[in-house]
């Protein structure tokens, strides 16, 4: 991947990928190894959380299509090696949360994916993205579930700060 062309995003917008691909990968151990490394890396790189979540969904039975997603993440990381979390001193001690949901984004089970990020002042202190446990009947329901997940994290952080 040293000579790979860099890309501007870890995953193209509106990319939908199925659990079943066109051709099985020859060495699933390599796929799992790269996914594991990306899982450790995403702890300090929230910009790749959603994409790493996506590739890890196929870790049991990877196809070439899934490997291409891994390579796209690696090409993005090569282009953004200077990115990371920066913590700054701030007099602002308020909590701010942002959420979003992708209604029925999974082609395999039609479950929605929700994500949130929580800032303490100017510093990102908590973030998550995960597939919702239940099916949502509308995009609004998916958004409400995402808000509920973020709210429970906010309440926990408030109790921690008290």
């Amino acid at each position: 991947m040293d000579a790979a062309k860099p890309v501007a995003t870890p995953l193209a917008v509106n990319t939908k990928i199925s659990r079943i691909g066109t051709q099985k990968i020859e060495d699933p151990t390599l796929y799992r190894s790269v996914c594991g490394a990306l899982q450790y890396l995403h702890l300090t790189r929230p910009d790749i959380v959603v994409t790493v979540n996506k590739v890890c969904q196929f870790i049991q039975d990877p196809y070439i299509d899934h490997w291409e997603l891994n390579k796209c993440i690696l090409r993005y990381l090569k282009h953004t090696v200077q990115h990371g979390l920066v913590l700054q001193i701030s007099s602002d001690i308020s909590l701010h949360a942002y959420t979003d949901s992708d209604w029925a984004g999974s082609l395999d089970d039609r479950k929605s994916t929700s994500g949130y990020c929580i800032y303490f002042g100017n510093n990102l202190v908590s973030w998550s993205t995960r597939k919702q446990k239940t099916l949502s009947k509308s995009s609004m329901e998916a958004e409400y579930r995402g808000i509920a997940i973020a709210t429970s994290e906010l309440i926990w952080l408030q109790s921690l700060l008290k």
Side-chain angles (χ1 to χ4, degrees):
M1 297 295 298
D2 286 337
K5 182 179 176 184
V7 294
T9 61
L11 183 64
V13 177
N14 295 326
T15 299
K16 302 283 186 190
I17 189 153
S18 176
R19 182 174 41 94
I20 305 297
T22 55
Q23 179 183 354
K24 287 215 178 231
I25 196 166
E26 288 182 22
D27 185 9
T29 307
L30 177 62
Y31 182 85
R32 293 180 186 121
S33 176
V34 171
C35 284
L38 289 172
Q39 283 181 316
Y40 281 110
L41 182 61
H42 92 281
L43 295 173
T44 59
R45 295 289 303 266
D47 53 335
I48 64 169
V49 169
V50 173
T51 313
V52 170
N53 174 288
K54 181 68 88 178
V55 296
C56 288
Q57 291 177 23
F58 312 112
I59 206 161
Q60 291 298 329
D61 193 22
Y63 283 80
I64 297 292
D65 304 352
H66 308 138
W67 178 244
E68 293 301 321
L69 286 176
N70 261 348
K71 290 195 323 189
C72 187
I73 298 170
L74 295 174
R75 289 172 39 211
Y76 171 75
L77 290 170
K78 179 181 180 192
H79 184 65
T80 59
V81 75
Q82 71 282 1
H83 289 193
L85 290 178
V86 177
L87 298 177
Q88 305 166 352
I89 295 173
S90 175
S91 59
D92 182 11
I93 58 168
S94 59
L95 289 171
H96 302 278
Y98 302 93
T99 70
D100 195 15
S101 294
D102 177 23
W103 177 53
S106 173
L107 294 177
D108 299 314
D109 58 12
R110 306 304 295 164
K111 288 187 179 176
S112 304
T113 302
S114 294
Y116 67 82
C117 58
I118 299 175
Y119 288 83
F120 181 60
N122 296 329
N123 300 305
L124 180 63
V125 294
S126 180
W127 63 91
S128 176
T129 183
R130 68 178 64 129
K131 196 183 287 190
Q132 293 179 356
K133 294 180 181 177
T134 58
L135 291 174
S136 297
K137 295 179 182 175
S138 68
S139 60
M140 185 59 69
E141 185 179 344
E143 294 288 347
Y144 280 137
R145 288 182 195 277
I147 290 169
I149 294 167
T151 301
S152 66
E153 180 74 4
L154 272 171
I155 291 169
W156 179 80
L157 282 171
Q158 283 179 330
S159 68
L160 180 69
L161 292 171
K162 286 180 182 179

